[in-house]
Amino acid sequence: MTLPDVTLSDVILPGVILAGGRATRMGGGDKGLKVVAGKRLLDHVIARLAPQCAPLAINANGDPARFSDFGLPVLADSLPGHPGPLAGVLAGLDWAAGFGAKAIVTVAADTPFFPSDLVKKLKAAAGTSGLSLAASPDDAGALRLQPTFGLWPVALREDLRAALEGGLRKVVLWAEGHNAGTAEFASDPFDPFFNINTPPDICTAERLIGQGSTTPQAGTTRAVRG
């Protein structure tokens, strides 16, 4: 397989916000439209991603009109049955290919505190295929990959499409098969990839915002081969 040219350190990349989940633990609906500290979750996410990426798009299924206030393209999964975040990544790659971008960065719509240097560190950590995922330590100190936060080369989109059509659903499994690098971020003073899954999580997020604790320490990078 020919590896793509992914010298992207000085390139501003498109960003795709993955909002295609069904939010079952939140009682259904769109988590990205839930209000946290007076703003919708997507407002928080867009404000954090916009200084790092351009243009931006939202990956979501169903009626796109519910996101019209954000003024961003809404990208539906190209595969039926809600096959998971990899389908959102593929939708983003297909979108980016349409205007000649070499890669995209993805973030989750329910994670309002992701690092302000996310994209810089993902680029620095890219593996031989140009792919990288973010990671942070869990409560026990073990490094945990954050598979919805990644750098994805457009050159791999047909490989990803074939994998999804073949039934693959696990982000990490596909990423490791392409020698993904890992961008490691500290979980101090809290995990920047804390995501909002339940109503009590909204309270936790509002408490963090109220404390002004919305800027975790900058990350470090290391190359990890799958």
Side-chain angles (χ1 to χ4, degrees):
M1 173 180 173
T2 301
L3 296 178
D5 177 7
V6 286
T7 305
L8 299 172
S9 59
D10 298 321
V11 177
I12 298 175
L13 298 176
V16 177
I17 301 166
L18 301 177
R22 287 175 283 184
T24 54
R25 284 183 283 176
M26 190 68 76
D30 295 294
K31 279 195 288 184
L33 300 181
K34 301 294 183 183
V35 175
V36 177
K39 295 181 180 180
R40 295 163 297 185
L41 264 175
L42 274 169
D43 290 316
H44 291 285
V45 171
I46 290 168
R48 209 154 185 88
L49 187 59
Q52 304 185 57
C53 286
L56 302 183
I58 298 169
N59 161 241
N61 299 299
D63 185 0
R66 66 195 193 276
F67 299 106
S68 59
D69 286 353
F70 299 102
L72 299 176
V74 179
L75 315 174
D77 294 346
S78 59
L79 299 175
H82 298 281
L86 276 176
V89 172
L90 179 60
L93 292 173
D94 286 341
W95 167 68
F99 53 88
K102 290 187 176 182
I104 64 170
V105 171
T106 60
V107 302
D110 61 358
T111 307
F113 306 126
F114 62 86
S116 59
D117 61 348
L118 174 73
V119 176
K120 177 182 177 181
K121 299 298 183 180
L122 285 171
K123 289 178 179 179
T128 55
S129 68
L131 197 159
S132 61
L133 297 179
S136 60
D138 63 16
D139 292 341
L143 191 64
R144 180 178 57 183
L145 287 170
Q146 306 291 340
T148 52
F149 290 82
L151 169 66
W152 311 89
V154 170
L156 293 178
R157 70 189 178 110
E158 295 306 331
D159 183 283
L160 177 56
R161 193 186 320 277
L164 283 165
E165 290 174 347
L168 182 69
R169 298 293 181 263
K170 293 187 179 297
V171 177
V172 172
L173 184 62
W174 186 78
E176 287 180 344
H178 291 283
N179 298 315
T182 301
E184 183 177 345
F185 295 85
S187 292
D188 179 20
F190 62 93
D191 188 346
F193 300 103
F194 162 70
N195 64 311
I196 294 174
N197 284 318
T198 64
D201 290 338
I202 293 178
C203 297
T204 299
E206 290 180 332
R207 185 171 67 251
L208 289 171
I209 292 170
Q211 293 170 348
S213 302
T214 59
T215 309
Q217 293 180 0
T220 58
T221 62
R222 60 176 184 163
V224 176
R225 300 292 173 252

